[in-house]
Amino acid sequence: MRTYTGNETGQMPGLLPEPYFWWEAGAMFGSMIDYFHFTGDDSYNDVVSQALLSQVGPNADYMPPAQSNDEGNDDQGFWGMAAMSAAEQNFPNPPSDQPQWLALAQAVFNSQAMRWDTTTCQGGLRWQIFPFNNGYTYKNSISNGAFFNLAARLAQYTGNQTYADWAVKTWDWVNSVNFMDPEYEIFDGAGDAANCTQANKIRWSYNAGVYLLGAATMYSYTNQSSLWTERVEGLLNATDFFFSPNQSNVMYETACEPYGTCDTDQLSFKAYLSRWMAASTQVAPFIYDAVILKLQASATAAAQQCSGGPTGTICGQKWTDGTAWDGTTGVGQQMSALQVIQSNLVKNNTPPVTAATGGTSIGNPAAGSSGTVMPGAVIAQITLAEKISAGFLTAFACITFGGGIIWTIN
């Protein structure tokens, strides 16, 4: 949080300074919601709430006009997933005159459902929202994965089958265009000029994580169905690709970390795999034993790597380097270390709440339904009845590794 200055006089709440893009701020505040949930420390709650509410935009759907030159469906999805986490974890609710966490997550979902684009590739979300942004002709796994993840979690929270139907539809589409192979390996995406038939087969850890949590949530929503059991197992097995062959169960970003080529975004990806692996154990407990082995080893390695800078607490990226700090520093490195360390507390914390199990966040099933739609897209319809039915359904423990949680926040 030392890098974040949005709560200071004259600064813009919710934004990180360059070189960090808007989406990573939303992802960071998602980590801080987890921090409160795992530790009970509310020191940052007011700052986090201010940030999350400052970027909702005029339609309360995380579409602030100032971000139109950069915002993609994946970017909006990260802010929506942060709001969903706030609802699931009973993060303190905003004042009644402000948008509520569940309503914000529903707004992101609704605005993206309206962008489901059948003009190319028989469906799917484009990477970019606006045609003037680079990447508009690309459909990718993370945009569709965030939508799948959010749909599954909204189904679980509200009990509304419409969200679950969208989760299934998205899963089926991702498989139909071979963004996911039979071994549950998830590839980056494809351009639509060739009808998404020529996938870019690079693999990123956050894609593995976002689909794992979505599938684990569907496993819970479908009462532990054998179909989603198989999918959860397959996705979890496929995460082995992101754990070093040289150091057992230590996470690394396979496509770039060994070569020192990770960009600012990619330096944060391990945070999300850690987050979503841990969260998956709460809705699919049968994977806990396998997951915790990886999170424990990775947390120990991450804490050892947080040995840099004048204070000896700056975190590097390469957890496989042990105590030899790799010389890098930044939000992504700190967030990744924080997330993997605090994720080891998952078993001591309550699972995500729902509207039926103590969730207090107020929803608005029509939220976001007047949002931005891509020109020329075939609009997917969510009926008023479905929106209304969605609306009706609507201890402090701090264990650290090497003194980890507190100094990874700073």
Side-chain angles (χ1 to χ4, degrees):
M1 290 292 285
R2 183 187 308 163
T3 305
Y4 178 65
T5 59
N7 59 323
E8 297 177 1
T9 302
Q11 299 298 312
M12 180 63 70
L15 302 183
L16 286 167
E18 293 184 355
Y20 303 101
F21 287 109
W22 179 72
W23 78 272
E24 192 165 343
M28 182 185 77
F29 296 120
S31 286
M32 296 309 297
I33 291 168
D34 280 357
Y35 170 76
F36 169 65
H37 181 65
F38 284 131
T39 70
D41 180 4
D42 63 1
S43 302
Y44 300 94
N45 285 7
D46 289 346
V47 173
V48 172
S49 291
Q50 178 199 43
L52 288 171
L53 295 172
S54 70
Q55 294 297 312
V56 300
N59 296 317
D61 57 2
Y62 286 116
M63 289 287 294
Q67 300 302 322
S68 59
N69 287 331
D70 295 307
E71 184 174 358
N73 281 304
D74 52 347
D75 306 324
Q76 184 193 26
F78 267 89
W79 286 85
M81 289 186 289
M84 190 72 239
S85 292
E88 292 169 333
Q89 297 176 14
N90 269 341
F91 192 74
N93 290 317
S96 59
D97 62 344
Q98 296 291 311
Q100 302 299 299
W101 306 132
L102 178 59
L104 286 165
Q106 290 171 312
V108 171
F109 170 83
N110 286 338
S111 65
Q112 294 197 345
M114 291 191 298
R115 297 186 202 122
W116 186 265
D117 173 35
T118 59
T119 62
T120 61
C121 310
Q122 293 78 51
L125 291 178
R126 295 177 180 272
W127 176 22
Q128 295 298 320
I129 297 169
F130 300 105
F132 51 77
N133 285 333
N134 290 333
Y136 180 75
T137 60
Y138 194 71
K139 295 189 175 183
N140 62 351
S141 291
I142 190 57
S143 294
N144 288 280
F147 183 62
F148 165 67
N149 180 298
L150 192 57
R153 292 161 70 185
L154 282 168
Q156 178 88 329
Y157 193 100
T158 67
N160 188 326
Q161 182 62 33
T162 298
Y163 296 123
D165 292 344
W166 270 101
V168 171
K169 179 176 182 175
T170 307
W171 174 278
D172 289 346
W173 179 81
V174 167
N175 280 270
S176 74
V177 292
N178 297 315
F179 288 1
M180 184 186 302
D181 72 10
E183 286 72 45
Y184 297 93
E185 298 171 338
I186 301 168
F187 309 122
D188 188 73
D192 68 359
N195 214 34
C196 295
T197 58
Q198 299 173 4
N200 176 356
K201 294 198 172 183
I202 196 167
R203 296 170 63 187
W204 300 109
S205 62
Y206 72 163
N207 279 326
V210 78
Y211 284 91
L212 176 62
L213 178 55
T217 305
M218 289 300 293
Y219 161 86
S220 178
Y221 178 79
T222 59
N223 295 315
Q224 300 83 48
S225 72
S226 59
L227 177 62
W228 287 105
T229 299
E230 178 184 341
R231 290 170 173 176
V232 170
E233 289 173 340
L235 287 164
L236 180 60
N237 290 337
T239 66
D240 287 348
F241 181 74
F242 301 104
F243 291 85
S244 173
N246 301 318
Q247 284 187 260
S248 179
N249 292 323
V250 174
M251 191 183 299
Y252 76 139
E253 195 61 49
T254 313
C256 61
E257 186 175 319
Y259 318 106
T261 57
C262 297
D263 65 21
T264 301
D265 290 349
Q266 294 153 10
L267 288 167
S268 71
F269 287 179
K270 290 187 293 188
Y272 319 127
L273 178 57
S274 301
R275 174 189 303 172
W276 292 323
M277 287 182 76
S280 294
T281 69
Q282 295 191 302
V283 286
F286 75 93
I287 65 172
Y288 175 82
D289 289 345
V291 168
I292 200 63
L293 288 175
K294 290 178 164 58
L295 293 180
Q296 286 175 342
S298 294
T300 301
Q304 291 174 340
Q305 180 57 204
C306 293
S307 59
T311 63
T313 58
I314 299 299
C315 301
Q317 181 195 23
K318 295 183 178 180
W319 301 345
T320 54
D321 281 3
T323 58
W325 179 47
D326 66 9
T328 69
T329 182
V331 171
Q333 294 93 319
Q334 295 292 126
M335 178 167 43
S336 295
L338 169 66
Q339 194 73 61
V340 75
I341 290 170
Q342 68 185 14
S343 289
N344 279 268
L345 301 172
V346 66
K347 196 170 187 179
N348 299 323
N349 282 266
T350 56
V353 297
T354 70
T357 62
T360 62
S361 190
I362 297 172
N364 176 6
S369 57
S370 60
T372 303
V373 180
M374 295 179 295
V378 177
I379 307 305
Q381 297 297 325
I382 302 176
T383 69
L384 180 61
E386 288 167 342
K387 293 175 183 176
I388 292 173
S389 68
F392 282 121
L393 290 169
T394 302
F396 182 77
C398 186
I399 300 171
T400 65
F401 291 76
I405 288 183
I406 299 302
W407 43 254
T408 57
I409 296 172
N410 295 316

